[in-house]
Amino acid sequence: AAAIADLVEEKYQIVITHSNGPQVGMIQTAFDAAAKTNPAVAPMPLPECTAMSQGYIGYDLQNALKEELLNRGLQQGVATVLTQVVVDGNDPAFQHPTKPIGAFMSKEEAEKMAREKGWHIAEDAGRGWRQVVASPKPLAVVELTTIRALAETDNVVIACGGGGIPVIATDNHHLKGAAAVIDKDLASELLAEHLDADMLIILTAVEKVAINFNKPDQKGLDDLTPAEAYKYMEENQFAKGSMLPKVQAAVKFAESKAGRTALITLLEKAKDGIEGKTGTAIHL
């Protein structure tokens, strides 16, 4: 909250997105456990789990941020928008689940869940094993006009939580939830493009994007052009479950319109990053 409030004090218009990987898995697991003890409880579909996670994470974020702003004498409104994101029902991602959700497990635990529950499992960037689900490409943000209207009237908006609730649009205007989790970085990039934002800021657990990560010759990058990023991607410099989608989203945003910049840096360094003092800036 303090890091975001610093940006509000600088008079930036801010729309916040967030992840939900651990939480959406926890919610799903909780309903699965309840269904075992009470037959009247149905397992909760993944889109509903995402909606629940958006609600409770948004509740915590907006309250913490509003409190911080009031403590600084700032009167901006803060609102969470339950956000749906349209995906293609024929997206090939539905045949190849890759998106990690839920708790980390040992390989033995993960293999047991695969046998007993039919989960798809994968090792997640050296941190352990997790369930993986489909991660289709985001195509459109359903609540875009609402998010824009709130942002343009001086509200801090929390939207597209967990990449948004994935929905498939039918011919009769019905939105059908999809059993998937959209990548939060790609959904954030889409939202930033459609809001005509000047900057996409991806706040994470490292100060800069690095090549040769966790090796003796690790090197942090201050600036990155799309061409350089593509070269490093071809060299598999970025972990698929963590940094790769962040760099992909940053490059897509930087290429989307002249003058746009994407920034990847540590949460606590957001203001310093915008001022060019740290982080990795991706631009043409």
Side-chain angles (χ1 to χ4, degrees):
I4 302 300
D6 287 344
L7 305 184
V8 176
E9 280 192 315
E10 297 296 320
K11 307 300 182 185
Y12 291 110
Q13 269 189 330
I14 298 168
V15 175
I16 302 169
T17 65
H18 61 80
S19 63
N20 74 340
Q23 291 84 2
V24 74
M26 286 162 43
I27 292 167
Q28 188 179 48
T29 300
F31 274 93
D32 286 347
K36 287 181 180 177
T37 58
N38 183 355
V41 177
M44 188 60 61
L46 201 49
E48 279 76 3
C49 293
T50 297
M52 290 181 189
S53 73
Q54 281 191 4
Y56 97 75
I57 296 171
Y59 155 73
D60 281 330
L61 284 177
Q62 71 181 35
N63 283 352
L65 183 54
K66 184 66 177 178
E67 180 181 342
E68 181 70 24
L69 293 174
L70 288 173
N71 287 340
R72 299 184 188 201
L74 301 171
Q75 299 296 324
Q76 273 86 351
V78 185
T80 300
V81 177
L82 204 66
T83 314
Q84 301 171 95
V85 173
V86 176
V87 300
D88 183 350
N90 295 316
D91 191 310
F94 284 106
Q95 306 305 317
H96 304 283
T98 59
K99 185 66 179 172
I101 66 168
F104 288 96
M105 299 173 282
S106 68
K107 185 177 181 181
E108 293 73 23
E109 290 173 320
E111 288 174 344
K112 181 173 183 240
M113 298 307 279
R115 288 193 304 271
E116 293 181 359
K117 294 192 173 184
W119 283 6
H120 294 277
I121 57 168
E123 198 271 336
D124 184 3
R127 297 175 293 180
W129 289 73
R130 299 173 79 184
Q131 180 187 7
V132 290
V133 298
S135 184
K137 178 183 176 183
L139 301 177
V141 178
V142 176
E143 289 76 20
L144 179 65
T145 55
T146 302
I147 296 165
R148 181 185 289 117
L150 285 166
E152 289 179 348
T153 50
D154 209 26
N155 294 282
V156 179
V157 189
I158 300 163
C160 279
I165 304 160
V167 293
I168 297 166
T170 65
D171 293 336
N172 61 350
H173 306 296
H174 177 66
L175 295 174
K176 179 184 178 183
V181 171
I182 300 168
D183 182 85
K184 66 184 181 301
D185 300 307
L186 297 180
S188 300
E189 191 283 329
L190 180 72
L191 178 61
E193 267 197 55
H194 289 180
L195 290 174
D196 197 23
D198 299 304
M199 185 174 261
L200 170 66
I201 306 168
I202 300 176
L203 300 175
T204 184
V206 294
E207 191 163 343
K208 295 181 182 182
V209 177
I211 55 174
N212 303 321
F213 186 65
N214 273 344
K215 296 178 181 177
D217 56 345
Q218 176 176 319
K219 179 186 175 184
L221 304 172
D222 297 323
D223 282 280
L224 199 56
T225 65
E228 290 169 334
Y230 288 128
K231 175 178 173 288
Y232 290 137
M233 283 188 256
E234 287 175 7
E235 296 173 359
N236 295 318
Q237 287 282 358
F238 310 125
K240 290 183 179 179
S242 53
M243 186 54 73
L244 179 61
K246 294 174 175 57
V247 174
Q248 289 173 327
V251 169
K252 188 172 185 297
F253 183 74
E255 290 182 323
S256 66
K257 185 178 178 181
R260 285 178 174 166
T261 298
L263 171 71
I264 301 175
T265 194
L266 191 66
L267 170 63
E268 292 80 8
K269 300 280 188 176
K271 184 180 175 184
D272 286 346
I274 291 174
E275 294 173 353
K277 296 176 182 176
T278 191
T280 302
I282 298 95
H283 49 78
L284 293 173

